[in-house]
Amino acid sequence: GMKGDVGEKEDVTRVQCIDLAKKLGVPDMEKTSFAACHRPNHAAEDSGIYIRYTDLMQKDHWIQRARKLPDVNGEVSFRHDL
């Protein structure tokens, strides 16, 4: 997961995800809304993040750009469930 504080607020998590998407080159990120974007374990530092997309095309853009992750930050990983 991305770095995050214990008890991180959901809006902070969303901003971190949007910033990562911009670094990855995900198109139209500012126009995208998430159905959910949060850390399921608020009691743990650097907990993973769950994202539920409202637009499947946007999800596909994330998956395509995930190959760039090692170039962005070696501490970030991306897994998707189909």
Side-chain angles (χ1 to χ4, degrees):
M2 290 190 290
K3 297 284 184 193
D5 297 325
V6 173
E8 180 177 278
K9 301 288 185 195
E10 186 176 332
D11 58 336
V12 173
T13 305
R14 285 177 185 259
V15 168
Q16 286 182 340
C17 290
I18 290 169
D19 288 346
L20 175 62
K22 289 177 184 176
K23 289 178 186 177
L24 291 173
V26 176
D28 298 325
M29 196 57 227
E30 291 82 11
K31 298 177 186 175
T32 299
S33 64
F34 301 117
C37 181
H38 62 91
R39 294 182 186 271
N41 186 355
H42 291 281
E45 185 176 6
D46 303 336
S47 174
I49 298 171
Y50 287 160
I51 300 175
R52 181 173 297 245
Y53 302 89
T54 57
D55 182 343
L56 292 178
M57 187 171 16
Q58 196 67 28
K59 178 181 176 180
D60 291 341
H61 288 306
W62 273 80
I63 292 169
Q64 291 170 0
R65 300 313 193 281
R67 287 179 248 132
K68 292 185 175 183
L69 281 173
D71 297 331
V72 175
N73 181 345
E75 298 179 9
V76 177
S77 62
F78 181 86
R79 290 188 308 185
H80 64 277
D81 297 323
L82 299 175

